[in-house]
Amino acid sequence: MGGLTARRRWLAAGAALTLMTACVGPASRTFVTGQIRPRQIRFVTIRETTPGEAGGRRAACIHIRISRENTGEAILCRFGVETPLHNHEGPVSTALAQRITAERINEATYSIFGVATMESPLGMLCESLKAALRPTFKASIAGALFTSQCHEKTTPVQFGDYTL
């Protein structure tokens, strides 16, 4: 019963959250508002760590919907992230991994979607987002990985609707 209650709370929280939106204004500028919250990033342990040693891994799967308002065209930008449970700097908590992941996604999204126009190819926006995230995510947590594919143990979390 506890799992069902937790699931209902998560669904209610997910429905209530305002996520990022990119809109093209009258001057053909793109406005990006909102943000992904750390608690929305759902990590799962994919490999345990040996106590006192560096290692172990957790992973999360991210899907970001990008759409074009005037045509209804839409894509799902999919990628995965992995962080160590314990690296050479010490333990990496789930809360820290969630916070850094959300921060990097928000920064990259503002950067990439903030300069998008109505003519920007949606697939290229997705690839630009991934290209921006890859080096910054790895540099943020020692031993972290940015992947184009989600790990099989993860459950995708779909974020917002970035509308151009």
Side-chain angles (χ1 to χ4, degrees), residues 101-150:
T101 300
E103 286 174 359
R104 296 301 84 85
I105 292 171
N106 289 334
E107 291 164 0
T109 302
Y110 278 91
S111 172
I112 302 302
F113 296 158
V115 296
T117 67
M118 290 294 279
E119 293 79 31
S120 297
L122 300 184
M124 290 302 294
L125 288 173
C126 176
E127 292 306 312
S128 295
L129 178 63
K130 290 178 186 181
L133 281 168
R134 190 169 283 110
T136 59
F137 186 69
K138 287 180 176 182
S140 298
I141 301 175
L145 296 173
F146 179 89
T147 61
S148 293
Q149 301 292 321
C150 293

mmCIF file of all heavy atoms in Angstrom, residues 101-150:
data_model
loop_
_atom_site.group_PDB
_atom_site.id
_atom_site.type_symbol
_atom_site.label_atom_id
_atom_site.label_comp_id
_atom_site.label_asym_id
_atom_site.label_seq_id
_atom_site.Cartn_x
_atom_site.Cartn_y
_atom_site.Cartn_z
ATOM 1 N N THR A 101 22.681 17.171 -11.872
ATOM 2 C CA THR A 101 22.041 16.799 -13.133
ATOM 3 C C THR A 101 20.997 17.842 -13.534
ATOM 4 O O THR A 101 20.972 18.300 -14.679
ATOM 5 C CB THR A 101 21.403 15.403 -13.030
ATOM 6 O OG1 THR A 101 22.423 14.447 -12.718
ATOM 7 C CG2 THR A 101 20.701 15.012 -14.317
ATOM 8 N N ALA A 102 20.132 18.226 -12.598
ATOM 9 C CA ALA A 102 19.104 19.232 -12.895
ATOM 10 C C ALA A 102 19.745 20.563 -13.279
ATOM 11 O O ALA A 102 19.313 21.206 -14.245
ATOM 12 C CB ALA A 102 18.181 19.413 -11.697
ATOM 13 N N GLU A 103 20.794 20.975 -12.548
ATOM 14 C CA GLU A 103 21.468 22.242 -12.873
ATOM 15 C C GLU A 103 22.055 22.221 -14.281
ATOM 16 O O GLU A 103 21.902 23.184 -15.033
ATOM 17 C CB GLU A 103 22.588 22.523 -11.861
ATOM 18 C CG GLU A 103 22.093 22.974 -10.512
ATOM 19 C CD GLU A 103 23.211 23.101 -9.481
ATOM 20 O OE1 GLU A 103 24.394 22.813 -9.799
ATOM 21 O OE2 GLU A 103 22.896 23.492 -8.345
ATOM 22 N N ARG A 104 22.736 21.142 -14.635
ATOM 23 C CA ARG A 104 23.356 21.076 -15.962
ATOM 24 C C ARG A 104 22.290 21.065 -17.054
ATOM 25 O O ARG A 104 22.458 21.711 -18.091
ATOM 26 C CB ARG A 104 24.250 19.837 -16.097
ATOM 27 C CG ARG A 104 25.468 19.767 -15.189
ATOM 28 C CD ARG A 104 26.448 20.905 -15.320
ATOM 29 N NE ARG A 104 26.128 22.083 -14.562
ATOM 30 C CZ ARG A 104 26.430 22.311 -13.267
ATOM 31 N NH1 ARG A 104 27.085 21.421 -12.573
ATOM 32 N NH2 ARG A 104 26.089 23.424 -12.689
ATOM 33 N N ILE A 105 21.206 20.323 -16.870
ATOM 34 C CA ILE A 105 20.135 20.294 -17.880
ATOM 35 C C ILE A 105 19.521 21.682 -18.025
ATOM 36 O O ILE A 105 19.307 22.172 -19.135
ATOM 37 C CB ILE A 105 19.065 19.234 -17.541
ATOM 38 C CG1 ILE A 105 19.650 17.829 -17.672
ATOM 39 C CG2 ILE A 105 17.844 19.397 -18.453
ATOM 40 C CD1 ILE A 105 18.733 16.726 -17.162
ATOM 41 N N ASN A 106 19.230 22.344 -16.902
ATOM 42 C CA ASN A 106 18.633 23.682 -16.959
ATOM 43 C C ASN A 106 19.555 24.668 -17.671
ATOM 44 O O ASN A 106 19.117 25.444 -18.518
ATOM 45 C CB ASN A 106 18.297 24.175 -15.548
ATOM 46 C CG ASN A 106 17.121 23.431 -14.948
ATOM 47 O OD1 ASN A 106 16.266 22.921 -15.654
ATOM 48 N ND2 ASN A 106 17.089 23.360 -13.636
ATOM 49 N N GLU A 107 20.836 24.654 -17.329
ATOM 50 C CA GLU A 107 21.793 25.558 -17.969
ATOM 51 C C GLU A 107 21.866 25.320 -19.476
ATOM 52 O O GLU A 107 21.816 26.264 -20.263
ATOM 53 C CB GLU A 107 23.180 25.371 -17.356
ATOM 54 C CG GLU A 107 23.306 25.846 -15.925
ATOM 55 C CD GLU A 107 24.548 25.317 -15.227
ATOM 56 O OE1 GLU A 107 25.335 24.563 -15.836
ATOM 57 O OE2 GLU A 107 24.733 25.659 -14.050
ATOM 58 N N ALA A 108 21.978 24.059 -19.861
ATOM 59 C CA ALA A 108 22.093 23.733 -21.290
ATOM 60 C C ALA A 108 20.805 24.089 -22.032
ATOM 61 O O ALA A 108 20.845 24.595 -23.156
ATOM 62 C CB ALA A 108 22.434 22.259 -21.475
ATOM 63 N N THR A 109 19.669 23.829 -21.411
ATOM 64 C CA THR A 109 18.390 24.114 -22.048
ATOM 65 C C THR A 109 18.220 25.616 -22.283
ATOM 66 O O THR A 109 17.829 26.044 -23.359
ATOM 67 C CB THR A 109 17.232 23.566 -21.204
ATOM 68 O OG1 THR A 109 17.426 22.167 -21.041
ATOM 69 C CG2 THR A 109 15.894 23.803 -21.866
ATOM 70 N N TYR A 110 18.530 26.408 -21.270
ATOM 71 C CA TYR A 110 18.436 27.865 -21.443
ATOM 72 C C TYR A 110 19.371 28.326 -22.553
ATOM 73 O O TYR A 110 19.016 29.159 -23.374
ATOM 74 C CB TYR A 110 18.778 28.590 -20.139
ATOM 75 C CG TYR A 110 17.631 28.660 -19.176
ATOM 76 C CD1 TYR A 110 17.433 27.671 -18.225
ATOM 77 C CD2 TYR A 110 16.738 29.717 -19.221
ATOM 78 C CE1 TYR A 110 16.374 27.736 -17.335
ATOM 79 C CE2 TYR A 110 15.669 29.795 -18.339
ATOM 80 C CZ TYR A 110 15.494 28.794 -17.391
ATOM 81 O OH TYR A 110 14.447 28.857 -16.525
ATOM 82 N N SER A 111 20.570 27.782 -22.578
ATOM 83 C CA SER A 111 21.562 28.175 -23.574
ATOM 84 C C SER A 111 21.126 27.803 -24.993
ATOM 85 O O SER A 111 21.172 28.630 -25.903
ATOM 86 C CB SER A 111 22.897 27.504 -23.244
ATOM 87 O OG SER A 111 23.823 27.706 -24.265
ATOM 88 N N ILE A 112 20.704 26.573 -25.195
ATOM 89 C CA ILE A 112 20.356 26.074 -26.539
ATOM 90 C C ILE A 112 18.995 26.580 -27.001
ATOM 91 O O ILE A 112 18.855 27.104 -28.103
ATOM 92 C CB ILE A 112 20.390 24.527 -26.577
ATOM 93 C CG1 ILE A 112 21.764 23.989 -26.189
ATOM 94 C CG2 ILE A 112 19.933 24.010 -27.938
ATOM 95 C CD1 ILE A 112 22.904 24.485 -27.041
ATOM 96 N N PHE A 113 17.964 26.437 -26.180
ATOM 97 C CA PHE A 113 16.627 26.817 -26.601
ATOM 98 C C PHE A 113 16.433 28.330 -26.585
ATOM 99 O O PHE A 113 15.556 28.856 -27.242
ATOM 100 C CB PHE A 113 15.565 26.152 -25.740
ATOM 101 C CG PHE A 113 15.552 24.650 -25.858
ATOM 102 C CD1 PHE A 113 15.001 23.873 -24.856
ATOM 103 C CD2 PHE A 113 16.094 23.993 -26.948
ATOM 104 C CE1 PHE A 113 14.987 22.490 -24.951
ATOM 105 C CE2 PHE A 113 16.088 22.616 -27.049
ATOM 106 C CZ PHE A 113 15.526 21.864 -26.048
ATOM 107 N N GLY A 114 17.265 29.039 -25.822
ATOM 108 C CA GLY A 114 17.156 30.492 -25.747
ATOM 109 C C GLY A 114 17.481 31.187 -27.058
ATOM 110 O O GLY A 114 17.056 32.315 -27.277
ATOM 111 N N VAL A 115 18.242 30.533 -27.930
ATOM 112 C CA VAL A 115 18.585 31.137 -29.219
ATOM 113 C C VAL A 115 17.834 30.471 -30.383
ATOM 114 O O VAL A 115 18.070 30.799 -31.536
ATOM 115 C CB VAL A 115 20.111 31.087 -29.474
ATOM 116 C CG1 VAL A 115 20.843 31.926 -28.445
ATOM 117 C CG2 VAL A 115 20.629 29.665 -29.480
ATOM 118 N N ALA A 116 16.938 29.553 -30.064
ATOM 119 C CA ALA A 116 16.170 28.866 -31.104
ATOM 120 C C ALA A 116 15.171 29.821 -31.743
ATOM 121 O O ALA A 116 14.745 30.796 -31.137
ATOM 122 C CB ALA A 116 15.436 27.666 -30.509
ATOM 123 N N THR A 117 14.810 29.509 -32.987
ATOM 124 C CA THR A 117 13.787 30.275 -33.700
ATOM 125 C C THR A 117 12.716 29.299 -34.188
ATOM 126 O O THR A 117 12.855 28.091 -34.046
ATOM 127 C CB THR A 117 14.388 31.001 -34.926
ATOM 128 O OG1 THR A 117 14.794 30.025 -35.887
ATOM 129 C CG2 THR A 117 15.554 31.885 -34.523
ATOM 130 N N MET A 118 11.687 29.832 -34.812
ATOM 131 C CA MET A 118 10.627 28.989 -35.364
ATOM 132 C C MET A 118 11.165 28.053 -36.440
ATOM 133 O O MET A 118 10.594 27.013 -36.708
ATOM 134 C CB MET A 118 9.513 29.854 -35.956
ATOM 135 C CG MET A 118 8.707 30.604 -34.926
ATOM 136 S SD MET A 118 7.745 29.526 -33.870
ATOM 137 C CE MET A 118 6.356 29.236 -34.920
ATOM 138 N N GLU A 119 12.275 28.429 -37.057
ATOM 139 C CA GLU A 119 12.856 27.623 -38.127
ATOM 140 C C GLU A 119 13.890 26.617 -37.633
ATOM 141 O O GLU A 119 14.378 25.798 -38.408
ATOM 142 C CB GLU A 119 13.507 28.539 -39.180
ATOM 143 C CG GLU A 119 12.521 29.398 -39.950
ATOM 144 C CD GLU A 119 12.055 30.614 -39.163
ATOM 145 O OE1 GLU A 119 12.830 31.143 -38.348
ATOM 146 O OE2 GLU A 119 10.890 31.012 -39.335
ATOM 147 N N SER A 120 14.248 26.658 -36.362
ATOM 148 C CA SER A 120 15.276 25.750 -35.836
ATOM 149 C C SER A 120 14.808 24.299 -35.969
ATOM 150 O O SER A 120 13.716 23.962 -35.501
ATOM 151 C CB SER A 120 15.557 26.051 -34.362
ATOM 152 O OG SER A 120 16.066 27.345 -34.193
ATOM 153 N N PRO A 121 15.616 23.437 -36.607
ATOM 154 C CA PRO A 121 15.246 22.026 -36.718
ATOM 155 C C PRO A 121 15.215 21.375 -35.324
ATOM 156 O O PRO A 121 16.175 21.502 -34.560
ATOM 157 C CB PRO A 121 16.356 21.415 -37.569
ATOM 158 C CG PRO A 121 17.024 22.573 -38.244
ATOM 159 C CD PRO A 121 16.861 23.735 -37.320
ATOM 160 N N LEU A 122 14.114 20.716 -34.990
ATOM 161 C CA LEU A 122 13.954 20.145 -33.664
ATOM 162 C C LEU A 122 15.015 19.099 -33.353
ATOM 163 O O LEU A 122 15.544 19.054 -32.245
ATOM 164 C CB LEU A 122 12.549 19.558 -33.503
ATOM 165 C CG LEU A 122 11.383 20.538 -33.679
ATOM 166 C CD1 LEU A 122 10.058 19.843 -33.391
ATOM 167 C CD2 LEU A 122 11.554 21.773 -32.829
ATOM 168 N N GLY A 123 15.332 18.269 -34.330
ATOM 169 C CA GLY A 123 16.359 17.251 -34.118
ATOM 170 C C GLY A 123 17.716 17.866 -33.831
ATOM 171 O O GLY A 123 18.476 17.364 -32.996
ATOM 172 N N MET A 124 18.017 18.968 -34.498
ATOM 173 C CA MET A 124 19.287 19.656 -34.263
ATOM 174 C C MET A 124 19.309 20.296 -32.881
ATOM 175 O O MET A 124 20.349 20.333 -32.223
ATOM 176 C CB MET A 124 19.545 20.707 -35.340
ATOM 177 C CG MET A 124 19.859 20.109 -36.702
ATOM 178 S SD MET A 124 21.296 19.010 -36.679
ATOM 179 C CE MET A 124 22.590 20.174 -36.307
ATOM 180 N N LEU A 125 18.158 20.787 -32.407
ATOM 181 C CA LEU A 125 18.100 21.336 -31.051
ATOM 182 C C LEU A 125 18.402 20.250 -30.030
ATOM 183 O O LEU A 125 19.137 20.470 -29.062
ATOM 184 C CB LEU A 125 16.733 21.958 -30.782
ATOM 185 C CG LEU A 125 16.429 23.262 -31.494
ATOM 186 C CD1 LEU A 125 14.978 23.667 -31.264
ATOM 187 C CD2 LEU A 125 17.379 24.355 -31.045
ATOM 188 N N CYS A 126 17.856 19.062 -30.249
ATOM 189 C CA CYS A 126 18.118 17.930 -29.363
ATOM 190 C C CYS A 126 19.604 17.576 -29.378
ATOM 191 O O CYS A 126 20.226 17.406 -28.319
ATOM 192 C CB CYS A 126 17.270 16.728 -29.766
ATOM 193 S SG CYS A 126 17.602 15.234 -28.796
ATOM 194 N N GLU A 127 20.169 17.465 -30.552
ATOM 195 C CA GLU A 127 21.594 17.113 -30.654
ATOM 196 C C GLU A 127 22.485 18.197 -30.062
ATOM 197 O O GLU A 127 23.502 17.895 -29.438
ATOM 198 C CB GLU A 127 21.970 16.825 -32.115
ATOM 199 C CG GLU A 127 21.324 15.561 -32.663
ATOM 200 C CD GLU A 127 21.583 14.329 -31.804
ATOM 201 O OE1 GLU A 127 22.737 14.081 -31.414
ATOM 202 O OE2 GLU A 127 20.604 13.604 -31.507
ATOM 203 N N SER A 128 22.101 19.447 -30.221
ATOM 204 C CA SER A 128 22.863 20.551 -29.626
ATOM 205 C C SER A 128 22.785 20.497 -28.104
ATOM 206 O O SER A 128 23.775 20.759 -27.411
ATOM 207 C CB SER A 128 22.332 21.902 -30.117
ATOM 208 O OG SER A 128 22.551 22.043 -31.493
ATOM 209 N N LEU A 129 21.611 20.154 -27.588
ATOM 210 C CA LEU A 129 21.452 20.007 -26.142
ATOM 211 C C LEU A 129 22.363 18.898 -25.613
ATOM 212 O O LEU A 129 23.084 19.084 -24.628
ATOM 213 C CB LEU A 129 19.990 19.710 -25.803
ATOM 214 C CG LEU A 129 19.681 19.489 -24.327
ATOM 215 C CD1 LEU A 129 19.964 20.742 -23.513
ATOM 216 C CD2 LEU A 129 18.228 19.056 -24.160
ATOM 217 N N LYS A 130 22.368 17.757 -26.291
ATOM 218 C CA LYS A 130 23.230 16.644 -25.875
ATOM 219 C C LYS A 130 24.706 17.029 -25.954
ATOM 220 O O LYS A 130 25.485 16.706 -25.052
ATOM 221 C CB LYS A 130 22.969 15.415 -26.756
ATOM 222 C CG LYS A 130 21.628 14.766 -26.533
ATOM 223 C CD LYS A 130 21.479 13.598 -27.491
ATOM 224 C CE LYS A 130 20.125 12.962 -27.447
ATOM 225 N NZ LYS A 130 20.040 11.814 -28.366
ATOM 226 N N ALA A 131 25.090 17.719 -27.025
ATOM 227 C CA ALA A 131 26.484 18.127 -27.190
ATOM 228 C C ALA A 131 26.906 19.092 -26.088
ATOM 229 O O ALA A 131 28.041 19.055 -25.624
ATOM 230 C CB ALA A 131 26.691 18.762 -28.567
ATOM 231 N N ALA A 132 25.998 19.951 -25.657
ATOM 232 C CA ALA A 132 26.305 20.891 -24.579
ATOM 233 C C ALA A 132 26.389 20.173 -23.230
ATOM 234 O O ALA A 132 27.222 20.509 -22.387
ATOM 235 C CB ALA A 132 25.250 21.988 -24.527
ATOM 236 N N LEU A 133 25.542 19.177 -23.026
ATOM 237 C CA LEU A 133 25.509 18.458 -21.749
ATOM 238 C C LEU A 133 26.691 17.516 -21.553
ATOM 239 O O LEU A 133 27.194 17.379 -20.433
ATOM 240 C CB LEU A 133 24.212 17.656 -21.627
ATOM 241 C CG LEU A 133 22.982 18.449 -21.236
ATOM 242 C CD1 LEU A 133 21.727 17.604 -21.427
ATOM 243 C CD2 LEU A 133 23.104 18.929 -19.808
ATOM 244 N N ARG A 134 27.120 16.869 -22.605
ATOM 245 C CA ARG A 134 28.162 15.825 -22.502
ATOM 246 C C ARG A 134 29.399 16.290 -21.723
ATOM 247 O O ARG A 134 29.742 15.699 -20.709
ATOM 248 C CB ARG A 134 28.510 15.297 -23.889
ATOM 249 C CG ARG A 134 29.386 14.071 -23.897
ATOM 250 C CD ARG A 134 29.464 13.439 -25.285
ATOM 251 N NE ARG A 134 28.229 12.693 -25.543
ATOM 252 C CZ ARG A 134 27.289 13.045 -26.423
ATOM 253 N NH1 ARG A 134 27.444 14.099 -27.183
ATOM 254 N NH2 ARG A 134 26.198 12.323 -26.577
ATOM 255 N N PRO A 135 30.079 17.349 -22.135
ATOM 256 C CA PRO A 135 31.299 17.741 -21.407
ATOM 257 C C PRO A 135 31.020 18.377 -20.041
ATOM 258 O O PRO A 135 31.775 18.169 -19.098
ATOM 259 C CB PRO A 135 31.980 18.742 -22.344
ATOM 260 C CG PRO A 135 30.889 19.268 -23.212
ATOM 261 C CD PRO A 135 29.883 18.163 -23.339
ATOM 262 N N THR A 136 29.944 19.152 -19.927
ATOM 263 C CA THR A 136 29.684 19.826 -18.654
ATOM 264 C C THR A 136 29.275 18.842 -17.571
ATOM 265 O O THR A 136 29.632 19.012 -16.415
ATOM 266 C CB THR A 136 28.616 20.923 -18.794
ATOM 267 O OG1 THR A 136 27.404 20.359 -19.280
ATOM 268 C CG2 THR A 136 29.077 22.023 -19.719
ATOM 269 N N PHE A 137 28.527 17.803 -17.956
ATOM 270 C CA PHE A 137 28.095 16.817 -16.958
ATOM 271 C C PHE A 137 29.289 16.018 -16.448
ATOM 272 O O PHE A 137 29.462 15.840 -15.251
ATOM 273 C CB PHE A 137 27.021 15.896 -17.549
ATOM 274 C CG PHE A 137 26.438 14.968 -16.533
ATOM 275 C CD1 PHE A 137 25.641 15.453 -15.510
ATOM 276 C CD2 PHE A 137 26.700 13.621 -16.580
ATOM 277 C CE1 PHE A 137 25.126 14.613 -14.548
ATOM 278 C CE2 PHE A 137 26.186 12.761 -15.629
ATOM 279 C CZ PHE A 137 25.391 13.263 -14.615
ATOM 280 N N LYS A 138 30.132 15.582 -17.368
ATOM 281 C CA LYS A 138 31.324 14.818 -16.985
ATOM 282 C C LYS A 138 32.243 15.646 -16.098
ATOM 283 O O LYS A 138 32.863 15.126 -15.181
ATOM 284 C CB LYS A 138 32.088 14.355 -18.223
ATOM 285 C CG LYS A 138 31.416 13.246 -18.979
ATOM 286 C CD LYS A 138 32.257 12.874 -20.192
ATOM 287 C CE LYS A 138 31.671 11.698 -20.925
ATOM 288 N NZ LYS A 138 32.521 11.309 -22.065
ATOM 289 N N ALA A 139 32.354 16.937 -16.368
ATOM 290 C CA ALA A 139 33.228 17.806 -15.590
ATOM 291 C C ALA A 139 32.648 18.134 -14.210
ATOM 292 O O ALA A 139 33.374 18.544 -13.318
ATOM 293 C CB ALA A 139 33.490 19.107 -16.350
ATOM 294 N N SER A 140 31.354 17.937 -14.027
ATOM 295 C CA SER A 140 30.700 18.310 -12.778
ATOM 296 C C SER A 140 30.830 17.266 -11.680
ATOM 297 O O SER A 140 30.818 17.612 -10.501
ATOM 298 C CB SER A 140 29.216 18.583 -13.035
ATOM 299 O OG SER A 140 29.079 19.665 -13.919
ATOM 300 N N ILE A 141 30.901 15.998 -12.051
ATOM 301 C CA ILE A 141 31.041 14.904 -11.075
ATOM 302 C C ILE A 141 32.099 13.953 -11.608
ATOM 303 O O ILE A 141 31.934 13.388 -12.697
ATOM 304 C CB ILE A 141 29.720 14.129 -10.870
ATOM 305 C CG1 ILE A 141 28.594 15.039 -10.387
ATOM 306 C CG2 ILE A 141 29.927 12.971 -9.880
ATOM 307 C CD1 ILE A 141 27.239 14.362 -10.285
ATOM 308 N N ALA A 142 33.170 13.776 -10.851
ATOM 309 C CA ALA A 142 34.236 12.854 -11.264
ATOM 310 C C ALA A 142 33.653 11.451 -11.451
ATOM 311 O O ALA A 142 32.979 10.935 -10.561
ATOM 312 C CB ALA A 142 35.351 12.829 -10.225
ATOM 313 N N GLY A 143 33.860 10.891 -12.636
ATOM 314 C CA GLY A 143 33.365 9.550 -12.931
ATOM 315 C C GLY A 143 31.967 9.505 -13.528
ATOM 316 O O GLY A 143 31.450 8.431 -13.821
ATOM 317 N N ALA A 144 31.336 10.660 -13.735
ATOM 318 C CA ALA A 144 29.986 10.701 -14.309
ATOM 319 C C ALA A 144 30.044 10.458 -15.813
ATOM 320 O O ALA A 144 31.043 10.737 -16.461
ATOM 321 C CB ALA A 144 29.331 12.046 -14.023
ATOM 322 N N LEU A 145 28.953 9.945 -16.348
ATOM 323 C CA LEU A 145 28.842 9.686 -17.782
ATOM 324 C C LEU A 145 27.546 10.269 -18.315
ATOM 325 O O LEU A 145 26.509 10.209 -17.664
ATOM 326 C CB LEU A 145 28.823 8.179 -18.064
ATOM 327 C CG LEU A 145 30.048 7.361 -17.713
ATOM 328 C CD1 LEU A 145 29.752 5.888 -17.922
ATOM 329 C CD2 LEU A 145 31.226 7.797 -18.570
ATOM 330 N N PHE A 146 27.615 10.813 -19.509
ATOM 331 C CA PHE A 146 26.436 11.236 -20.251
ATOM 332 C C PHE A 146 26.284 10.241 -21.380
ATOM 333 O O PHE A 146 27.244 9.987 -22.108
ATOM 334 C CB PHE A 146 26.637 12.648 -20.809
ATOM 335 C CG PHE A 146 25.460 13.121 -21.599
ATOM 336 C CD1 PHE A 146 24.421 13.772 -20.981
ATOM 337 C CD2 PHE A 146 25.375 12.878 -22.963
ATOM 338 C CE1 PHE A 146 23.320 14.197 -21.706
ATOM 339 C CE2 PHE A 146 24.289 13.290 -23.696
ATOM 340 C CZ PHE A 146 23.256 13.954 -23.063
ATOM 341 N N THR A 147 25.125 9.635 -21.536
ATOM 342 C CA THR A 147 24.942 8.606 -22.559
ATOM 343 C C THR A 147 23.795 8.965 -23.494
ATOM 344 O O THR A 147 22.827 9.604 -23.090
ATOM 345 C CB THR A 147 24.656 7.231 -21.911
ATOM 346 O OG1 THR A 147 23.446 7.312 -21.145
ATOM 347 C CG2 THR A 147 25.789 6.810 -20.980
ATOM 348 N N SER A 148 23.924 8.561 -24.744
ATOM 349 C CA SER A 148 22.852 8.797 -25.711
ATOM 350 C C SER A 148 21.688 7.826 -25.500
ATOM 351 O O SER A 148 20.571 8.099 -25.923
ATOM 352 C CB SER A 148 23.385 8.649 -27.140
ATOM 353 O OG SER A 148 24.291 9.685 -27.407
ATOM 354 N N GLN A 149 21.971 6.698 -24.878
ATOM 355 C CA GLN A 149 20.947 5.685 -24.602
ATOM 356 C C GLN A 149 20.721 5.591 -23.098
ATOM 357 O O GLN A 149 21.651 5.759 -22.318
ATOM 358 C CB GLN A 149 21.396 4.314 -25.117
ATOM 359 C CG GLN A 149 21.680 4.271 -26.600
ATOM 360 C CD GLN A 149 20.420 4.439 -27.420
ATOM 361 O OE1 GLN A 149 19.369 3.927 -27.076
ATOM 362 N NE2 GLN A 149 20.521 5.183 -28.509
ATOM 363 N N CYS A 150 19.519 5.271 -22.705
ATOM 364 C CA CYS A 150 19.208 5.071 -21.291
ATOM 365 C C CYS A 150 19.559 3.650 -20.880
ATOM 366 O O CYS A 150 19.430 2.722 -21.673
ATOM 367 C CB CYS A 150 17.722 5.323 -21.048
ATOM 368 S SG CYS A 150 17.260 7.052 -21.288
#
